[in-house]
Amino acid sequence: MSELALLLPVGLFLAAAVLCALLPRGWSFVITLATPIISALVALQVMQEGQQFTHALLDYTLVPVAVDALGLLMMGLFHLAAFIGALFIAAEKDRLQHGAMLAYFAGGMGAVMAGDWISFFVFFEIIALAGAGLVFARRTEQSTQAGVRYFLFQVGAGVMVLAGLLMNGLTTGQWLIGPVSLSQTAGWFLLIGLGIKAGFPLLHIWLVDAYPKASLAGLSVLVAVTTKVGIVALMKVFPGEAVLVPIGTVMALWPIVYVLNESDLRRVLAYSMMIQLGLMVVAVGVGTPTALDGVSLHIAMDVLFKMTLFMALALVLANLGTTHADQLKGLGKHWPVVAACVAVASLANMAIPFTGGFVSKKLMLSAIETSTLPQWLYFVLVSLSVVGLLYAWVRITWRVFFQAADAHSLKPSKDALPRLQLLALLLPVTLLVLTGFVPGLLDGLRPFGSDTDVVTAKKIISQLLMLGTAGLVYWLLAKKGLGLPTQRLARMADIGVVYRFVLTTLPQAIAQKWRTGVEATTPSLIQAMRFVAQPKWPLQHLGQSWPIGAMALWVAVIFAVLLLLGLVNS
Amino acid sequence: MMTYLGYALTGGLAVAVALLIRAVGQRILGSKESVDE
């Protein structure tokens, strides 16, 4: 089999995205659903660990595909996520959503399989473009603005990565993706670029801004690729880098105040992504095989339970027109299957034993516990599951789906939910339960070859004790009126306030001040400028806008005159 | 036994601390305007 065949899965997704744009709307569903199945069959045939596709370009040797165990795991995950997403948006006739979703996964697969920096950068940008398309496809003013901000941040990440890879390549001659030291400036550029993608604190605002405002397809699949590609790249470039530990810790703790206060549950979920991602970043900073295996598996589990929760909220939004917590109660009575799926996903999210989330999270935490990091940090990170209990179980699962509805609660229509959307919810949930009860299934997927066993009686009892006590304490506090608020609270300020101040308010204030100051000190100059800018005579031929051709002609004439003058002088 | 007790205490303490962070954070960061879609 030719090496070129290794590019087939990515090529298939990209070709399918183009087809979605060209063919009639009715075809989109068939293409979107068939592509991950066909591509997965092709990938199983052609891809084996250790294979590479190399291509000479000018003085460089590109490696667009370098198959390794981590890449294969991510390929499998992205195919699965693409299939789930396709099921979920089956009824959508919007070609932009279908096409952007396929291109988004193509970018993701290309980025995790890329062996050299230049190929990685190309796929990195495809993710940015297609991801923005998934946000734009909502077609509201707010989503358009959020899509632009998302795109600007992703382009910013791309520019930082480009600067880093060029500096690294030109100084070391190394164009293949591999560990880069932070003692070089290039390392810092790469860290910031990949950090934007992974949702580092202070650089995370695009995540909580764009994801909640995305289209139906965006809500279901945006959690699967962008940030995960950032984490995978961090694993390849900065494994065991100490600075990732404080960054990840802040990243995991930052959203606590938001997930417990935000009224819009889509924003709650977007913020909650940061908690899981922060934990992953800390584990990448630890860098042992167990830690990196934990991160790899937790990426997969996080995609499964977060996709389920986001898809459930997308259903709520589509049927009730809102995802504000104070208006949603007792939906489980109308939608029992959705409620059951949300319950399982929430349990996996807080790493309850016998779910896949427990296995992957405990692998990371086990590596952190046995590392040289202080024990108090381990306990802080362990207790993040309790935060999960509060936002995922109490706020989303219990209140929205199981608590009895009251007079203010919205009621869904009596129409049955589309079966394919229910299937899209059931598929990841089944896998979460299956991998929880048969953790051996995940052992064969560990890309870094660790053999740490985390499904032990001690760890199961410890986790159940911690979450059980937390639940009991919360119940007692809630009875005394000290629980989580049920009314709608005002929107919380985040670092976006600082961005807005620095990028818009401050420049406007400075410009205003400058104008006022200049007008006061040099009135004659200002008058002269105004005179030139706004001539008082009627605009004749010279004042009209000219065609570009005429402009080019006049430029050529001027250059010809200059040339003649030059010749005469010489 | 001590380990189990440690985890149980961590769970109880984490709830209390999280709720405290929520309340303080809401007071500091909660804005007057509410942006809804």
Side-chain angles (χ1 to χ4, degrees):
Chain A
M1 185 70 72
S2 162
E3 286 180 340
L4 189 62
L6 295 173
L7 267 178
L8 267 176
V10 175
L12 275 170
F13 268 81
L14 281 177
V18 175
L19 277 180
C20 276
L22 298 177
L23 292 177
R25 286 157 198 257
W27 283 87
S28 299
F29 158 56
V30 181
I31 296 168
T32 317
L33 202 56
T35 305
I37 298 170
I38 296 169
S39 174
L41 291 173
V42 170
L44 282 171
Q45 285 293 318
V46 301
M47 285 190 161
Q48 279 175 352
E49 201 176 330
Q51 288 179 314
Q52 280 192 345
F53 167 56
T54 55
H55 177 69
L57 181 74
L58 302 175
D59 290 339
Y60 306 105
T61 302
L62 302 182
V63 189
V65 184
V67 187
D68 58 11
L70 177 61
L72 284 175
L73 174 65
M74 291 302 129
M75 283 289 280
L77 175 68
F78 289 162
H79 276 89
L80 178 66
F83 183 67
I84 293 168
L87 286 174
F88 193 70
I89 64 163
E92 275 294 319
K93 299 287 182 202
D94 182 6
R95 286 183 295 192
L96 176 58
Q97 288 192 49
H98 286 270
M101 190 177 93
L102 290 167
Y104 186 59
F105 280 108
M109 284 187 234
V112 294
M113 297 302 275
D116 73 280
W117 277 113
I118 294 170
S119 306
F120 175 81
F121 174 74
V122 171
F123 291 117
F124 202 69
E125 294 305 295
I126 291 176
I127 297 171
L129 203 60
L134 287 170
V135 183
F136 289 138
R138 181 83 186 278
R139 293 187 173 86
T140 63
E141 195 183 337
Q142 284 190 324
S143 68
T144 305
Q145 290 170 353
V148 170
R149 290 191 289 268
Y150 172 91
F151 189 63
L152 287 176
F153 265 92
Q154 300 309 313
V155 168
V159 169
M160 297 300 279
V161 167
L162 184 64
L165 75 89
L166 287 174
M167 273 188 234
N168 185 51
L170 294 172
T171 52
T172 65
Q174 182 58 271
W175 295 95
L176 299 180
I177 296 176
V180 176
S181 168
L182 284 181
S183 59
Q184 310 164 43
T185 317
W188 285 100
F189 274 95
L190 288 171
L191 182 70
I192 294 170
L194 300 176
I196 294 174
K197 213 73 162 176
F200 276 8
L202 306 183
L203 305 172
H204 68 275
I205 202 69
W206 61 270
L207 197 164
V208 294
D209 177 37
Y211 283 21
K213 297 182 184 113
S215 60
L216 189 74
L219 276 174
S220 62
V221 301
L222 274 171
V223 293
V225 177
T226 310
T227 50
K228 307 306 184 280
V229 165
I231 298 289
V232 168
L234 287 175
M235 287 166 77
K236 289 182 176 180
V237 184
F238 300 110
E241 188 58 67
V243 76
L244 291 178
V245 173
I247 291 175
T249 306
V250 175
M251 193 171 165
L253 299 178
W254 186 287
I256 290 176
V257 71
Y258 300 96
V259 294
L260 301 181
N261 273 317
E262 281 285 351
S263 175
D264 188 342
L265 295 176
R266 282 173 293 161
R267 282 178 68 81
V268 170
L269 280 188
Y271 271 111
S272 77
M273 283 182 70
M274 275 182 77
I275 299 180
Q276 306 287 349
L277 293 165
L279 193 55
M280 293 182 212
V281 170
V282 174
V284 175
V286 171
T288 58
T290 305
L292 297 178
D293 275 337
V295 176
S296 311
L297 295 182
H298 202 60
I299 287 175
M301 294 304 136
D302 187 58
V303 168
L304 294 179
F305 57 69
K306 279 290 177 341
M307 271 188 91
T308 308
L309 294 173
F310 264 111
M311 287 189 293
L313 287 187
L315 284 177
V316 172
L317 182 68
N319 279 269
L320 300 169
T322 184
T323 48
H324 278 283
D326 58 318
Q327 292 174 285
L328 303 169
K329 266 183 191 172
L331 293 181
K333 193 178 157 191
H334 307 276
W335 297 344
V337 177
V338 179
C341 291
V342 167
V344 174
S346 294
L347 291 172
N349 185 71
M350 59 185 181
I352 208 90
F354 307 110
T355 62
F358 173 78
V359 182
S360 56
K361 195 179 258 188
K362 281 294 160 186
L363 262 180
M364 290 191 293
L365 289 168
S366 174
I368 293 166
E369 186 182 15
T370 52
S371 71
T372 53
L373 295 175
Q375 277 294 297
W376 64 262
L377 181 62
Y378 165 73
F379 275 100
V380 166
L381 296 173
V382 162
S383 61
L384 288 173
S385 290
V386 173
V387 180
L389 173 106
L390 295 176
Y391 75 80
W393 187 260
V394 176
R395 296 199 70 197
I396 298 177
T397 310
W398 173 253
R399 287 188 179 168
V400 175
F401 288 94
F402 293 105
Q403 200 170 28
D406 57 30
H408 305 290
S409 314
L410 298 171
K411 286 188 179 62
S413 67
K414 289 188 178 164
D415 300 338
L417 291 171
R419 285 186 182 176
L420 286 178
Q421 289 191 326
L422 292 180
L423 189 60
L425 287 169
L426 283 166
L427 193 54
V429 161
T430 308
L431 289 171
L432 285 168
V433 174
L434 192 65
T435 49
F437 277 95
V438 193
L441 291 172
L442 294 174
D443 289 344
L445 298 176
R446 295 187 190 190
F448 295 90
S450 69
D451 57 1
T452 311
D453 186 12
V454 290
V455 189
T456 60
K458 187 182 165 190
K459 288 205 184 295
I460 291 172
I461 295 169
S462 305
Q463 187 75 352
L464 286 175
L465 262 176
M466 183 179 76
L467 291 171
T469 315
L472 187 68
V473 170
Y474 177 76
W475 181 68
L476 290 171
L477 289 171
K479 279 189 82 171
K480 292 195 175 296
L482 296 169
L484 294 165
T486 49
Q487 75 278 21
R488 186 181 298 196
L489 299 174
R491 177 65 90 58
M492 306 282 291
D494 197 354
I495 193 69
V497 173
V498 178
Y499 281 113
R500 271 195 293 278
F501 177 74
V502 173
L503 297 175
T504 58
T505 314
L506 192 62
Q508 280 170 3
I510 291 171
Q512 180 63 34
K513 194 93 180 157
W514 186 82
R515 270 196 301 272
T516 320
V518 169
E519 279 179 19
T521 51
T522 54
S524 53
L525 179 67
I526 296 296
Q527 272 186 344
M529 283 170 69
R530 281 194 181 143
F531 180 76
V532 174
Q534 296 169 339
K536 302 294 180 288
W537 56 86
L539 292 174
Q540 298 297 324
H541 185 65
L542 282 170
Q544 293 169 3
S545 58
W546 284 19
I548 291 174
M551 286 271 286
L553 177 68
W554 276 109
V555 170
V557 169
I558 292 165
F559 275 124
V561 171
L562 287 173
L563 184 65
L564 280 174
L565 286 173
L567 285 172
V568 171
N569 282 340
S570 64
Chain B
M1 196 62 200
M2 280 304 287
T3 312
Y4 293 140
L5 192 64
Y7 277 98
L9 282 174
T10 303
L13 194 64
V15 167
V17 172
L19 290 175
L20 187 67
I21 291 173
R22 185 211 73 75
V24 173
Q26 206 272 323
R27 241 182 134 71
I28 298 169
L29 300 170
S31 63
K32 292 272 186 287
E33 55 180 314
S34 177
V35 185
D36 295 333
E37 195 173 347

Short mmCIF file of all heavy atoms in Angstrom, two decimals, chain A residues 6-49:
data_model
loop_
_atom_site.label_atom_id
_atom_site.label_comp_id
_atom_site.label_asym_id
_atom_site.label_seq_id
_atom_site.Cartn_x
_atom_site.Cartn_y
_atom_site.Cartn_z
N LEU A 6 -1.98 6.93 3.49
CA LEU A 6 -2.12 7.35 4.89
C LEU A 6 -2.88 8.67 5.01
O LEU A 6 -3.44 8.99 6.05
CB LEU A 6 -0.74 7.50 5.55
CG LEU A 6 0.07 6.21 5.70
CD1 LEU A 6 1.46 6.51 6.20
CD2 LEU A 6 -0.64 5.26 6.66
N LEU A 7 -2.88 9.42 3.91
CA LEU A 7 -3.60 10.70 3.92
C LEU A 7 -5.08 10.54 3.59
O LEU A 7 -5.85 11.51 3.66
CB LEU A 7 -2.98 11.66 2.90
CG LEU A 7 -1.89 12.61 3.40
CD1 LEU A 7 -1.35 13.44 2.24
CD2 LEU A 7 -2.41 13.55 4.48
N LEU A 8 -5.47 9.31 3.23
CA LEU A 8 -6.85 9.10 2.77
C LEU A 8 -7.93 9.53 3.77
O LEU A 8 -8.88 10.22 3.38
CB LEU A 8 -7.06 7.62 2.40
CG LEU A 8 -6.83 7.28 0.92
CD1 LEU A 8 -6.98 5.78 0.70
CD2 LEU A 8 -7.82 8.03 0.04
N PRO A 9 -7.83 9.15 5.06
CA PRO A 9 -8.91 9.55 5.98
C PRO A 9 -9.12 11.07 6.01
O PRO A 9 -10.25 11.54 5.90
CB PRO A 9 -8.42 9.04 7.34
CG PRO A 9 -7.55 7.88 7.00
CD PRO A 9 -6.86 8.26 5.74
N VAL A 10 -8.03 11.82 6.13
CA VAL A 10 -8.15 13.29 6.14
C VAL A 10 -8.70 13.77 4.80
O VAL A 10 -9.60 14.62 4.74
CB VAL A 10 -6.78 13.95 6.44
CG1 VAL A 10 -6.89 15.45 6.32
CG2 VAL A 10 -6.31 13.57 7.83
N GLY A 11 -8.17 13.19 3.72
CA GLY A 11 -8.63 13.58 2.39
C GLY A 11 -10.11 13.29 2.20
O GLY A 11 -10.83 14.10 1.59
N LEU A 12 -10.55 12.15 2.70
CA LEU A 12 -11.98 11.79 2.57
C LEU A 12 -12.86 12.82 3.28
O LEU A 12 -13.88 13.25 2.75
CB LEU A 12 -12.23 10.41 3.18
CG LEU A 12 -11.97 9.21 2.27
CD1 LEU A 12 -12.03 7.92 3.06
CD2 LEU A 12 -13.00 9.18 1.14
N PHE A 13 -12.47 13.20 4.48
CA PHE A 13 -13.26 14.18 5.24
C PHE A 13 -13.29 15.53 4.52
O PHE A 13 -14.33 16.17 4.45
CB PHE A 13 -12.69 14.35 6.66
CG PHE A 13 -13.33 13.42 7.67
CD1 PHE A 13 -12.92 12.11 7.78
CD2 PHE A 13 -14.36 13.85 8.49
CE1 PHE A 13 -13.51 11.24 8.70
CE2 PHE A 13 -14.96 13.01 9.41
CZ PHE A 13 -14.53 11.68 9.51
N LEU A 14 -12.13 15.93 3.99
CA LEU A 14 -12.09 17.23 3.28
C LEU A 14 -12.92 17.17 2.00
O LEU A 14 -13.67 18.11 1.70
CB LEU A 14 -10.64 17.60 2.95
CG LEU A 14 -9.81 18.17 4.11
CD1 LEU A 14 -8.38 18.42 3.67
CD2 LEU A 14 -10.42 19.48 4.64
N ALA A 15 -12.81 16.06 1.27
CA ALA A 15 -13.58 15.92 0.03
C ALA A 15 -15.08 15.91 0.35
O ALA A 15 -15.88 16.53 -0.36
CB ALA A 15 -13.18 14.63 -0.68
N ALA A 16 -15.43 15.24 1.44
CA ALA A 16 -16.85 15.18 1.83
C ALA A 16 -17.36 16.58 2.22
O ALA A 16 -18.51 16.93 1.92
CB ALA A 16 -17.02 14.22 3.01
N ALA A 17 -16.49 17.36 2.85
CA ALA A 17 -16.89 18.72 3.22
C ALA A 17 -17.18 19.55 1.97
O ALA A 17 -18.17 20.29 1.92
CB ALA A 17 -15.78 19.39 4.04
N VAL A 18 -16.33 19.39 0.95
CA VAL A 18 -16.56 20.10 -0.31
C VAL A 18 -17.85 19.62 -0.97
O VAL A 18 -18.64 20.41 -1.47
CB VAL A 18 -15.34 19.91 -1.26
CG1 VAL A 18 -15.60 20.54 -2.62
CG2 VAL A 18 -14.09 20.50 -0.63
N LEU A 19 -18.06 18.31 -0.95
CA LEU A 19 -19.29 17.74 -1.54
C LEU A 19 -20.54 18.31 -0.87
O LEU A 19 -21.54 18.60 -1.52
CB LEU A 19 -19.30 16.22 -1.40
CG LEU A 19 -18.54 15.43 -2.47
CD1 LEU A 19 -18.64 13.94 -2.18
CD2 LEU A 19 -19.09 15.74 -3.86
N CYS A 20 -20.47 18.45 0.46
CA CYS A 20 -21.62 19.01 1.20
C CYS A 20 -21.96 20.40 0.69
O CYS A 20 -23.12 20.79 0.65
CB CYS A 20 -21.31 19.08 2.69
SG CYS A 20 -21.61 17.56 3.54
N ALA A 21 -20.91 21.14 0.34
CA ALA A 21 -21.13 22.51 -0.13
C ALA A 21 -21.72 22.52 -1.54
O ALA A 21 -22.46 23.43 -1.90
CB ALA A 21 -19.82 23.29 -0.09
N LEU A 22 -21.39 21.50 -2.34
CA LEU A 22 -21.77 21.52 -3.75
C LEU A 22 -23.10 20.81 -4.04
O LEU A 22 -23.86 21.24 -4.90
CB LEU A 22 -20.67 20.86 -4.60
CG LEU A 22 -19.30 21.55 -4.57
CD1 LEU A 22 -18.30 20.78 -5.39
CD2 LEU A 22 -19.42 22.98 -5.11
N LEU A 23 -23.35 19.72 -3.31
CA LEU A 23 -24.55 18.91 -3.61
C LEU A 23 -25.80 19.50 -2.95
O LEU A 23 -25.70 20.31 -2.03
CB LEU A 23 -24.33 17.47 -3.12
CG LEU A 23 -23.26 16.68 -3.89
CD1 LEU A 23 -23.08 15.31 -3.28
CD2 LEU A 23 -23.64 16.55 -5.37
N PRO A 24 -26.99 19.08 -3.41
CA PRO A 24 -28.23 19.58 -2.80
C PRO A 24 -28.29 19.24 -1.30
O PRO A 24 -27.67 18.28 -0.85
CB PRO A 24 -29.32 18.83 -3.56
CG PRO A 24 -28.70 18.41 -4.82
CD PRO A 24 -27.25 18.22 -4.56
N ARG A 25 -29.07 20.04 -0.57
CA ARG A 25 -29.14 19.92 0.89
C ARG A 25 -29.48 18.51 1.36
O ARG A 25 -28.99 18.03 2.37
CB ARG A 25 -30.22 20.85 1.44
CG ARG A 25 -29.86 22.28 1.44
CD ARG A 25 -31.10 23.14 1.46
NE ARG A 25 -30.78 24.49 1.04
CZ ARG A 25 -30.66 25.50 1.88
NH1 ARG A 25 -30.82 25.31 3.16
NH2 ARG A 25 -30.37 26.69 1.45
N GLY A 26 -30.34 17.83 0.62
CA GLY A 26 -30.79 16.50 1.03
C GLY A 26 -29.66 15.50 1.13
O GLY A 26 -29.77 14.49 1.84
N TRP A 27 -28.55 15.76 0.43
CA TRP A 27 -27.43 14.83 0.45
C TRP A 27 -26.54 14.99 1.68
O TRP A 27 -25.78 14.09 2.01
CB TRP A 27 -26.57 15.06 -0.80
CG TRP A 27 -27.18 14.47 -2.03
CD1 TRP A 27 -28.08 15.05 -2.87
CD2 TRP A 27 -26.96 13.16 -2.55
NE1 TRP A 27 -28.42 14.20 -3.88
CE2 TRP A 27 -27.74 13.02 -3.72
CE3 TRP A 27 -26.16 12.08 -2.14
CZ2 TRP A 27 -27.75 11.86 -4.47
CZ3 TRP A 27 -26.17 10.93 -2.91
CH2 TRP A 27 -26.97 10.82 -4.05
N SER A 28 -26.62 16.14 2.33
CA SER A 28 -25.68 16.43 3.42
C SER A 28 -25.68 15.34 4.49
O SER A 28 -24.64 14.88 4.93
CB SER A 28 -26.03 17.78 4.06
OG SER A 28 -25.92 18.79 3.13
N PHE A 29 -26.88 14.92 4.87
CA PHE A 29 -27.00 13.93 5.94
C PHE A 29 -26.29 12.63 5.56
O PHE A 29 -25.54 12.05 6.34
CB PHE A 29 -28.49 13.69 6.25
CG PHE A 29 -28.78 12.38 6.90
CD1 PHE A 29 -28.17 12.03 8.09
CD2 PHE A 29 -29.67 11.48 6.33
CE1 PHE A 29 -28.44 10.82 8.71
CE2 PHE A 29 -29.95 10.27 6.94
CZ PHE A 29 -29.33 9.94 8.12
N VAL A 30 -26.53 12.18 4.32
CA VAL A 30 -25.94 10.92 3.84
C VAL A 30 -24.41 11.03 3.85
O VAL A 30 -23.71 10.14 4.35
CB VAL A 30 -26.45 10.61 2.41
CG1 VAL A 30 -25.86 9.29 1.92
CG2 VAL A 30 -27.96 10.57 2.38
N ILE A 31 -23.91 12.16 3.33
CA ILE A 31 -22.46 12.34 3.25
C ILE A 31 -21.84 12.40 4.65
O ILE A 31 -20.85 11.75 4.96
CB ILE A 31 -22.13 13.65 2.48
CG1 ILE A 31 -22.60 13.53 1.04
CG2 ILE A 31 -20.64 13.95 2.53
CD1 ILE A 31 -22.59 14.84 0.29
N THR A 32 -22.47 13.18 5.54
CA THR A 32 -21.91 13.37 6.88
C THR A 32 -21.90 12.07 7.68
O THR A 32 -20.99 11.81 8.46
CB THR A 32 -22.71 14.43 7.66
OG1 THR A 32 -22.99 15.50 6.79
CG2 THR A 32 -21.96 14.95 8.85
N LEU A 33 -22.92 11.26 7.46
CA LEU A 33 -23.01 9.99 8.20
C LEU A 33 -22.09 8.93 7.60
O LEU A 33 -21.48 8.14 8.33
CB LEU A 33 -24.46 9.51 8.20
CG LEU A 33 -24.87 8.54 9.30
CD1 LEU A 33 -24.59 9.12 10.68
CD2 LEU A 33 -26.34 8.19 9.18
N ALA A 34 -22.00 8.93 6.27
CA ALA A 34 -21.20 7.89 5.60
C ALA A 34 -19.69 8.14 5.75
O ALA A 34 -18.92 7.18 5.86
CB ALA A 34 -21.57 7.83 4.12
N THR A 35 -19.30 9.40 5.79
CA THR A 35 -17.85 9.72 5.78
C THR A 35 -17.08 9.09 6.95
O THR A 35 -16.07 8.42 6.71
CB THR A 35 -17.64 11.25 5.75
OG1 THR A 35 -18.35 11.77 4.63
CG2 THR A 35 -16.17 11.59 5.64
N PRO A 36 -17.53 9.26 8.21
CA PRO A 36 -16.74 8.64 9.28
C PRO A 36 -16.68 7.11 9.18
O PRO A 36 -15.66 6.51 9.53
CB PRO A 36 -17.45 9.06 10.57
CG PRO A 36 -18.62 9.86 10.19
CD PRO A 36 -18.63 10.07 8.73
N ILE A 37 -17.76 6.51 8.67
CA ILE A 37 -17.77 5.04 8.56
C ILE A 37 -16.77 4.59 7.49
O ILE A 37 -15.91 3.74 7.75
CB ILE A 37 -19.19 4.53 8.20
CG1 ILE A 37 -20.19 4.89 9.30
CG2 ILE A 37 -19.19 3.02 7.99
CD1 ILE A 37 -21.63 4.65 8.94
N ILE A 38 -16.85 5.20 6.31
CA ILE A 38 -15.93 4.82 5.22
C ILE A 38 -14.49 5.14 5.62
O ILE A 38 -13.58 4.31 5.45
CB ILE A 38 -16.31 5.58 3.93
CG1 ILE A 38 -17.71 5.15 3.46
CG2 ILE A 38 -15.29 5.33 2.84
CD1 ILE A 38 -18.29 6.00 2.36
N SER A 39 -14.30 6.33 6.19
CA SER A 39 -12.94 6.73 6.57
C SER A 39 -12.35 5.80 7.64
O SER A 39 -11.17 5.46 7.59
CB SER A 39 -12.97 8.17 7.08
OG SER A 39 -11.72 8.53 7.56
N ALA A 40 -13.20 5.39 8.59
CA ALA A 40 -12.71 4.48 9.64
C ALA A 40 -12.30 3.15 9.04
O ALA A 40 -11.25 2.58 9.41
CB ALA A 40 -13.80 4.27 10.69
N LEU A 41 -13.08 2.64 8.08
CA LEU A 41 -12.74 1.37 7.43
C LEU A 41 -11.42 1.50 6.67
O LEU A 41 -10.56 0.62 6.73
CB LEU A 41 -13.87 0.95 6.47
CG LEU A 41 -15.18 0.53 7.16
CD1 LEU A 41 -16.28 0.30 6.13
CD2 LEU A 41 -14.98 -0.73 7.99
N VAL A 42 -11.26 2.63 5.99
CA VAL A 42 -10.02 2.88 5.24
C VAL A 42 -8.83 2.97 6.21
O VAL A 42 -7.78 2.35 6.00
CB VAL A 42 -10.14 4.18 4.42
CG1 VAL A 42 -8.79 4.59 3.84
CG2 VAL A 42 -11.15 4.01 3.30
N ALA A 43 -9.03 3.74 7.29
CA ALA A 43 -7.94 3.93 8.27
C ALA A 43 -7.51 2.58 8.88
O ALA A 43 -6.32 2.32 9.07
CB ALA A 43 -8.38 4.90 9.37
N LEU A 44 -8.50 1.73 9.16
CA LEU A 44 -8.17 0.43 9.73
C LEU A 44 -7.34 -0.41 8.75
O LEU A 44 -6.48 -1.20 9.16
CB LEU A 44 -9.46 -0.33 10.08
CG LEU A 44 -10.17 0.11 11.36
CD1 LEU A 44 -11.54 -0.56 11.49
CD2 LEU A 44 -9.32 -0.22 12.59
N GLN A 45 -7.59 -0.22 7.47
CA GLN A 45 -6.86 -0.97 6.45
C GLN A 45 -5.44 -0.45 6.24
O GLN A 45 -4.51 -1.23 6.11
CB GLN A 45 -7.61 -0.87 5.10
CG GLN A 45 -8.87 -1.73 5.04
CD GLN A 45 -8.56 -3.22 5.06
OE1 GLN A 45 -7.64 -3.66 4.41
NE2 GLN A 45 -9.32 -3.97 5.85
N VAL A 46 -5.32 0.88 6.22
CA VAL A 46 -4.03 1.44 5.76
C VAL A 46 -3.09 1.89 6.89
O VAL A 46 -1.89 2.01 6.66
CB VAL A 46 -4.25 2.63 4.80
CG1 VAL A 46 -5.06 2.20 3.59
CG2 VAL A 46 -4.92 3.82 5.49
N MET A 47 -3.62 2.16 8.07
CA MET A 47 -2.77 2.77 9.10
C MET A 47 -2.25 1.76 10.11
O MET A 47 -3.02 1.03 10.72
CB MET A 47 -3.56 3.84 9.86
CG MET A 47 -3.73 5.10 9.05
SD MET A 47 -4.40 6.42 10.04
CE MET A 47 -3.96 7.81 9.03
N GLN A 48 -0.95 1.75 10.25
CA GLN A 48 -0.33 0.92 11.28
C GLN A 48 0.76 1.74 11.98
O GLN A 48 1.42 2.56 11.33
CB GLN A 48 0.28 -0.32 10.67
CG GLN A 48 -0.78 -1.39 10.41
CD GLN A 48 -0.24 -2.60 9.67
OE1 GLN A 48 0.89 -2.58 9.21
NE2 GLN A 48 -1.06 -3.62 9.57
N GLU A 49 0.91 1.47 13.26
CA GLU A 49 1.88 2.24 14.04
C GLU A 49 3.27 2.17 13.40
O GLU A 49 3.71 1.10 12.98
CB GLU A 49 1.92 1.70 15.47
CG GLU A 49 2.46 2.69 16.45
CD GLU A 49 2.39 2.17 17.87
OE1 GLU A 49 1.49 1.38 18.19
OE2 GLU A 49 3.25 2.57 18.67
#
